[in-house]
Amino acid sequence: MSDNDGKKTLGLRGGPRSGNVKQSFSHGRTKNVVVETKRKRVVVPKTGASKPASGGSASAAVAAAGSKRPAGISDAEMERRLKALQAAKARESEEAAQREAEEKARAEERDRMRAEKEAKDREQREAEERARKKAEDEERKAQEAADAAKQAAAAPVEAPAARQPSGGPKPSQAAPRKTDRERDGGGRRKADDGGGRRSGKLTLNQALGGGGGRQKSMAAMKRKQERARQKAMGGSQPREKIVRDVKLPEAISVAELANRMAERVGDVIKSLMNSGIMATQNESIDADTAELIIEEFGHKVTRVSDSDVEDVINEVVDAEDDLKPRAPVITIMGHVDHGKTSLLDAIRDANVTSAEAGGITQHIGAYQVKTKDGALLTFLDTPGHAAFTSMRSRGAQVTDIVVLVVAADDAVMPQTVEAINHAKAAKVPMIVAINKIDKPAANPTKVRTDLLQHEVVVEQMSGDVQDVEVSAISGQGLPELLEAIALQAEILELKANPDRAAQGAVIEAQLDVGRGPVATVLVQNGTLRQGDIFVVGEQYGKVRALINDQGERVKEAGPSVPVEVLGLNGTPEAGDVLNVTETEAQAREIAEYRANVAKEKRAAAGAATTLEQLMQKAKDDETVSELPILVKADVQGSAEAIVQAMEKIGNDEVRVRVLHSGVGAITETDIGLAEASGAPVIGFNVRANASARNTANQKGVEIRYYSIIYDLVDDVKAAASGLLSAEIKETFIGYAQVKEVFKVSNVGKVAGCLVTEGVARRSAGVRLLRDNVVIHEGTLKTLKRFKDEVPEVQSGQECGMAFENYEDVRPNDVIEIFEREEVERALD
């Protein structure tokens, strides 16, 4: 039996024996169930609706088929197949309904968008129509007003013509017609009453209004109407003069002056010409002349100066409610080698002196320590050498408490006295720490007695200055020292406002090759945040990153917190004050003003302005011998200390003159300046780059490297005085580049190196350079070529190096190999 037209057949595949079951739907009331098997095709007629009743079941349908159901198909299988068929039909109906709903939603959206567009177009057309009608009305009104004015002007002329005598000629015979063209001797048309030339056909309006000419604009007509209205109301009132407060700097251009007065430039130039001054708008005039011009125009003058740009960072008095407790700032001061840094190391469980050349602190360091009670303490460690006077002074100025460290076996020394004077000048309380109490030669009583000579009376001598006996090696007395600091801080009641613009002091500054200018800042008030714009001395910048004393990046730093600040445009001077500003323009303007003032001061200090100064300078040049030098150091504080130490060297016959000082590696520019002046270059913990070394070798410029300030000062003193002893001359024999670092058992870290220049010898001294800054100086523990220990390695070969008691080696570091020899020196 074949399927009829218009039937929809769905196939259900059964098991291997069941064959195919199909259900056909016809347009009539009869529904046939077609069952196909492998042997035969059976049609099972079924009556009823096209869809099974909701209350019926597939088993009933199977039972209706009766005996005509093919063999091998059970009732359950037949029921399962019919259920699958019903589910497929239900899914089809659901999908069709969903498609219909989506199509309906899309149609509604299209209708809505079309209606919105039509409404928008309609509103636009209506607005254009209203604007057009308004313009037409205004034009019509203006034309009517113009016609009325013309008729009013022509009325007096027509009146005499109307009153002619009775014996006179008729109007038609009195004169030729107005349409006749009257020409002058030149053949041109006569000028009309208005002085212009008519063109084209003469109209009635032109004849009545006095001829053609250019039509007045709409704005001119409005102004005319306004003048007529004011005249009808009793005359035009003059505009009220606006008196302005004009800020007048020391010099100002004519155009800027006119702009600040809100006057026309031409009027200002005319006023200057009346005063006998010929100036264009771009020329500058002095403040006195500008003040006369401002008063002539009736404005008020406010004199300002260039220094007013710093008014944006004036001190703001904080309210008492805004102040919150802050950590105290403690400065460790004292004589060299009295154990200041070792004492601080014991407090913070660190080891700083091992990183300093010769075990002597030559930089000022800032650290924050958390005590067992949870209190925060900020420590500043200052050098004790005589050359670092300014560093100690700077530490005393930003501190709250001074801890004076005195060695029990050495008593009071010159730098101890200097530290006492700095603390008294800064008016800060002092705590005496008698260090090295565990030594056999310790005599704390002598220390207390010596302090009496300098007006420092400790508690054991019935005074008010706390004194604690400590030992940095054994840790004795450290809890008592921290307790004394906490007690003193509690008495001071230190507070600051963290919710304001930050203000701080630069403790140290340096030029880092990888990070640029870096400044160690102690925040004194407010909170310094990443992204803040600031000005510090003659430099300005935007905080790119903040790094604490542990080397970690932080988002902000509150009061009494020391941080390294990245993002400066130049290296500031140590001791400069950092202030946060609102805009970068303000910071740039303040920095430029300070730089100009400093430049003028330097120029004034070096210039001889009077005849006596010129004669004294000429006399000094004849009698005094100078030793010119160039100084480059790793940090700003060291450079400052070296320059101050050099200025103290000399007498009436010889002196040392520092041509230039700065921070960072020695560059080719420094070599050029040294060659022109015949001066040596002094490098303190820095090295010359490759181009500078080559230039120095070619031009014969001497470069001396130092890592301890004692040696530097002593050598310069000896050279200046002519007492030159045997010099320990260093001869550089090679350079090696670290390619990779390996960890070897029983040896430690071994640097895999490539000798790039010269030769590497086991017996020679070595220095580790990172970004041309000396990181370590010492000797080699091993020098290997493959697995064999060798005495030397030639250029271009690879080798393995390990340092004695030092393992902080990184890839791309440079190892400098040198030999020392003693040579006799003579002063030319």
Side-chain angles (χ1 to χ4, degrees), residues 448-528:
R448 296 185 178 98
T449 306
D450 290 349
L451 289 174
L452 292 174
Q453 302 175 9
H454 306 285
E455 300 178 359
V456 178
V457 185
V458 298
E459 289 180 344
Q460 289 198 11
M461 297 287 183
S462 302
D464 56 354
V465 178
Q466 299 183 74
D467 64 310
V468 184
E469 297 180 1
V470 296
S471 173
I473 303 300
S474 63
Q476 176 185 347
L478 292 183
E480 290 80 2
L481 178 61
L482 292 177
E483 184 179 351
I485 293 172
L487 177 61
Q488 188 66 59
E490 187 176 351
I491 294 173
L492 294 175
E493 295 183 354
L494 302 170
K495 293 183 179 180
N497 181 13
D499 303 322
R500 55 165 288 181
Q503 178 181 352
V506 177
I507 303 300
E508 192 60 277
Q510 61 179 333
L511 182 62
D512 192 296
V513 176
R515 301 183 296 172
V518 180
T520 303
V521 176
L522 176 65
V523 181
Q524 296 172 304
N525 208 349
T527 302
L528 185 63

Side-chain angles (χ1 to χ4, degrees), residues 32-104:
N32 296 332
V33 176
V34 182
V35 179
E36 291 183 357
T37 63
K38 293 181 180 180
R39 297 186 180 91
K40 60 184 178 179
R41 186 166 180 263
V42 181
V43 178
V44 181
K46 181 185 174 184
T47 60
S50 60
K51 292 184 180 179
S54 60
S57 64
S59 58
V62 175
S67 60
K68 293 182 180 181
R69 187 180 64 230
I73 298 178
S74 62
D75 293 345
E77 177 67 17
M78 196 67 181
E79 184 177 359
R80 184 185 65 79
R81 295 184 181 184
L82 291 177
K83 284 183 178 180
L85 178 63
Q86 293 172 4
K89 292 169 60 181
R91 284 195 301 272
E92 284 185 359
S93 61
E94 290 176 359
E95 292 175 357
Q98 185 177 0
R99 286 194 299 271
E100 184 177 357
E102 291 176 355
E103 185 65 28
K104 185 177 180 181

Side-chain angles (χ1 to χ4, degrees), residues 392-604:
R392 282 189 294 279
S393 173
R394 190 159 57 246
Q397 290 170 1
V398 299
T399 191
D400 302 314
I401 302 170
V402 169
V403 174
L404 182 65
V405 179
V406 187
D409 60 343
D410 203 9
V412 177
M413 299 299 286
Q415 271 66 62
T416 310
V417 178
E418 183 188 299
I420 294 172
N421 296 333
H422 285 317
K424 289 181 178 180
K427 297 180 181 180
V428 293
M430 187 187 309
I431 299 174
V432 178
I434 304 175
N435 196 18
K436 302 183 181 180
I437 198 66
D438 54 341
K439 282 197 171 184
N443 189 357
T445 305
K446 184 177 182 300
V447 173
R448 296 185 178 98
T449 306
D450 290 349
L451 289 174
L452 292 174
Q453 302 175 9
H454 306 285
E455 300 178 359
V456 178
V457 185
V458 298
E459 289 180 344
Q460 289 198 11
M461 297 287 183
S462 302
D464 56 354
V465 178
Q466 299 183 74
D467 64 310
V468 184
E469 297 180 1
V470 296
S471 173
I473 303 300
S474 63
Q476 176 185 347
L478 292 183
E480 290 80 2
L481 178 61
L482 292 177
E483 184 179 351
I485 293 172
L487 177 61
Q488 188 66 59
E490 187 176 351
I491 294 173
L492 294 175
E493 295 183 354
L494 302 170
K495 293 183 179 180
N497 181 13
D499 303 322
R500 55 165 288 181
Q503 178 181 352
V506 177
I507 303 300
E508 192 60 277
Q510 61 179 333
L511 182 62
D512 192 296
V513 176
R515 301 183 296 172
V518 180
T520 303
V521 176
L522 176 65
V523 181
Q524 296 172 304
N525 208 349
T527 302
L528 185 63
R529 296 178 175 85
Q530 187 172 344
D532 283 349
I533 299 170
F534 62 90
V535 59
V536 50
E538 302 174 22
Q539 312 297 334
Y540 70 95
K542 184 177 182 180
V543 179
R544 195 172 72 240
L546 297 174
I547 302 173
N548 61 11
D549 59 324
Q550 303 294 328
E552 303 169 348
R553 286 205 172 196
V554 293
K555 295 294 183 182
E556 60 182 25
S560 301
V561 178
V563 287
E564 281 188 340
V565 179
L566 278 69
L568 293 99
N569 71 324
T571 307
E573 297 289 334
D576 287 342
V577 178
L578 180 143
N579 294 98
V580 172
T581 60
E582 294 181 359
T583 62
E584 187 176 354
Q586 290 179 347
R588 186 188 301 109
E589 191 175 5
I590 295 171
E592 289 175 355
Y593 164 71
R594 291 177 177 175
N596 292 334
V597 171
K599 184 178 180 181
E600 291 173 0
K601 286 183 179 179
R602 288 192 294 266

Side-chain angles (χ1 to χ4, degrees), residues 793-804:
V793 178
Q794 298 295 328
S795 176
Q797 296 180 350
E798 295 181 347
C799 62
M801 295 185 185
F803 293 85
E804 197 78 39

